[in-house]
Amino acid sequence: MKKLKWWILGISTASILSLLVAMGVIFTLFSGSLNGHDCDSSDNPSIEVSSRPSGSYTDKNSEEYKNAKGIFDTLTKEVGFSGAGAAGAIGNSIGESGLKLHNPNTGGGVNGLFQWSGWGNTVNGSRITSEGSIKAGDVSTLTLENELKLMKFELNGAYKKVKTLVGKETDVKKATMNWFLYYEGMLGNEDQYGSLREGGAEWAYQEFGGASVTADDSILGNTTKASLD
């Protein structure tokens, strides 16, 4: 009888321990599931933490951040772009150059925020010198002011179609894609779109308050003649 008593007690203890272990496993899995879908709503509630950009341009003290802000302000205040349109342009600069003023591609002969052609060679054209402020091969002329002047020159001239397609856009993803296709000239090469542009554009849209900026038709309608490369 005594042996039976201890046998029953042993079974009961083992059952309790098994139950506790099972409960612990369930709790761990449940907690992990919640943490895996946590978002930081203070920055951008629509982007999961794992996919949010973390480049140097997110540092407000970096040159890249300053360049992003320069693009956004120029496009919205001087060209008339919507916040979504300006964010789409920034996303493309992130994909093209990492928002760096000087980031040359020797083979393609391109350089600058949007990797304009004509820097090291003219195999892809000579856009970078078209406005006149930037001199091919002269790094000292690759300033934020000069590159923004070139961007404005093109948008008011040879690339004014982009002002309509991107400038009035309210959808960040569409703005990003249209800038890629028609300003970067990648129509037919969509496979080179990459994974950085949309995330960067969404970051810029949130960071610079794009939702509160609507297109200004009175400025968007201001175009001047410029030749195509």
Side-chain angles (χ1 to χ4, degrees):
M1 186 68 179
K2 188 174 182 180
K3 289 183 178 180
L4 179 60
K5 179 180 179 181
W6 283 109
W7 181 74
I8 294 173
L9 181 60
I11 292 177
S12 299
T13 302
S15 298
I16 292 173
L17 288 174
S18 298
L19 179 61
L20 289 174
V21 170
M23 290 176 65
V25 171
I26 293 172
F27 178 79
T28 300
L29 291 174
F30 182 72
S31 298
S33 176
L34 288 177
N35 291 334
H37 292 83
D38 186 29
C39 295
D40 184 355
S41 60
S42 63
D43 292 328
N44 185 356
S46 67
I47 302 177
E48 290 192 8
V49 174
S50 61
S51 64
R52 186 176 293 117
S54 59
S56 59
Y57 55 85
T58 62
D59 177 0
K60 293 186 177 182
N61 295 315
S62 69
E63 285 298 314
E64 290 81 3
Y65 183 93
K66 176 183 176 182
N67 296 339
K69 186 68 163 58
I71 293 172
F72 188 87
D73 287 346
T74 299
L75 287 176
T76 56
K77 298 176 182 179
E78 299 180 29
V79 186
F81 269 43
S82 65
I90 293 171
N92 273 279
S93 182
I94 290 171
E96 292 291 323
S97 67
L99 281 169
K100 298 181 185 300
L101 297 173
H102 178 52
N103 191 7
N105 179 315
T106 305
V110 298
N111 203 353
L113 290 170
F114 294 104
Q115 295 291 278
W116 291 283
S117 61
W119 174 256
N121 59 60
T122 57
V123 66
N124 289 309
S126 55
R127 288 175 61 180
I128 202 164
T129 57
S130 61
E131 185 272 333
S133 297
I134 299 174
K135 308 301 179 184
D138 185 352
V139 178
S140 69
T141 62
L142 286 178
T143 64
L144 178 59
E145 179 183 3
N146 284 347
E147 294 194 27
L148 293 178
K149 284 167 65 177
L150 172 57
M151 178 187 71
K152 285 176 57 181
F153 173 78
E154 291 193 321
L155 290 174
N156 285 328
Y159 292 83
K160 61 185 178 182
K161 177 180 181 180
V162 178
K163 293 178 70 173
T164 301
L165 290 174
V166 181
K168 297 183 179 182
E169 188 57 69
T170 57
D171 185 292
V172 178
K173 289 185 178 180
K174 289 181 180 179
T176 307
M177 176 57 79
N178 281 332
W179 184 281
F180 173 74
L181 295 177
Y182 300 105
Y183 189 79
E184 300 301 333
M186 299 303 288
L187 187 64
N189 295 285
E190 290 82 355
D191 59 318
Q192 297 183 39
Y193 189 62
S195 60
L196 298 176
R197 299 173 200 270
E198 286 188 2
E202 289 284 358
W203 165 80
Y205 188 68
Q206 295 292 327
E207 181 67 22
F208 303 125
S212 64
V213 182
T214 57
D216 187 337
D217 289 333
S218 66
I219 305 178
L220 278 173
N222 179 26
T223 59
T224 57
K225 185 177 181 181
S227 60
L228 285 166
D229 292 323

